Amino acid sequence: MSAGLDGAAMLRRSALFAGLDESHILPLFERFVSRRYETGQALFEEGAPCAGLFFVVSGQVRIFKTSPGGREQVLTVEGPGNSVAELPVFDGGPYPASAAAIEPSEILFVSRRDFQALCLERPEIALRVLEVVGSRLRRLVGIIEELSFATVRHRLISWILREADLAGSASFTPNLNHQDLAARIGTVRELVSRNLTRLQAQGLIQVAGREIRIVDRPGLEAELSGVL
């Protein structure tokens, strides 16, 4: 398989298989199939029967819901070492959201039947699945809180602060256009553009192309006071 040693190493680092020694990882690895996805290509569609579980070896995958009107809400973005679609593997239901590659990505796939067999053979893997699903649930509760109680302006500020923290710098260049950013924070492109312009006019940030630089972090943080 094309994922080769990188795929096996990824499994050892993943939350589900961390701690297993190589003698256990290699037999597990034999049950996986390597797949290559190009930018925008779907791993699965919301509502489709669950075929199995996916592990990201390289690249990034976005998980999203689509409204009847075609508007998208991104739930999360998963990178190397992360698994995708744990819940339907166990509850037998369809995929509750869609998944697509953000960039060219190498993915390992294991069928629902094979993964359930792995969990029966190694119960500790099933316990780790519960931990991962629990973490995802907490993240989704946070998304619901933001969408329910925070304005678009506050959701945008929260996103800017998180991205700067991840970059470890006041300046960062997200690999997103305004449409993609709107899908991340639950709004439309026009409101993203309008609010970025207002934040810049107030001297809180500077925007140059896709680069965003925080000019007044205390001012941004003060905007979030009392929200959520």
Side-chain angles (χ1 to χ4, degrees):
M1 61 176 56
S2 60
L5 295 177
D6 288 342
M10 184 280 298
L11 290 183
R12 282 196 295 272
R13 295 193 305 269
S14 71
L16 297 187
F17 301 120
L20 295 183
D21 59 40
E22 189 167 344
S23 64
H24 293 130
I25 286 291
L26 292 179
L28 297 180
F29 187 58
E30 292 302 318
R31 304 195 189 192
F32 286 79
V33 176
S34 177
R35 296 178 176 177
R36 180 77 176 176
Y37 292 85
E38 299 305 322
T39 301
Q41 186 176 355
L43 280 69
F44 52 81
E45 301 283 352
E46 178 180 351
C50 176
L53 190 67
F54 300 80
F55 286 82
V56 184
V57 177
S58 64
Q60 289 187 312
V61 172
R62 66 188 176 100
I63 314 300
F64 62 97
K65 299 276 288 184
T66 306
S67 74
R71 183 170 143 188
E72 291 185 1
Q73 170 65 53
V74 174
L75 303 178
T76 187
V77 173
E78 303 294 353
N82 292 335
S83 52
V84 177
E86 303 87 359
L87 184 60
V89 165
F90 283 97
D91 72 7
Y95 291 115
S98 300
I102 293 177
E103 58 192 26
S105 302
E106 190 80 34
I107 307 293
L108 291 179
F109 171 81
V110 61
S111 72
R112 180 169 174 258
R113 185 191 322 184
D114 279 350
F115 189 71
Q116 288 179 339
L118 289 176
C119 290
L120 290 174
E121 295 170 11
R122 312 266 327 174
E124 67 270 33
I125 294 176
L127 292 176
R128 288 172 184 163
V129 170
L130 290 177
E131 293 177 2
V132 170
V133 171
S135 176
R136 294 193 197 285
L137 178 58
R138 289 181 182 276
R139 192 185 311 165
L140 289 175
V141 168
I143 292 174
I144 292 170
E145 286 180 339
E146 282 201 343
L147 293 177
S148 300
F149 304 121
T151 64
V152 170
R153 177 183 174 91
H154 285 95
R155 297 202 297 272
L156 180 59
I157 290 172
S158 180
W159 176 83
I160 289 171
L161 292 173
R162 285 197 303 268
E163 290 297 306
D165 289 342
L166 288 172
S169 170
S171 298
F172 62 93
T173 304
N175 187 26
L176 299 171
N177 57 32
H178 287 186
Q179 183 66 50
D180 294 332
L181 177 51
R184 290 282 182 94
I185 65 173
T187 186
V188 294
R189 179 180 56 79
E190 292 78 10
L191 288 180
V192 166
S193 300
R194 188 181 307 163
N195 278 279
L196 283 173
T197 299
R198 287 176 178 172
L199 291 173
Q200 181 166 233
Q202 291 175 274
L204 296 171
I205 65 172
Q206 286 185 349
V207 180
R210 289 192 177 182
E211 183 185 36
I212 298 173
R213 184 169 74 86
I214 295 176
V215 176
D216 183 1
R217 187 178 181 106
L220 290 177
E221 291 173 341
E223 288 267 355
L224 298 182
S225 297
V227 179
L228 299 183

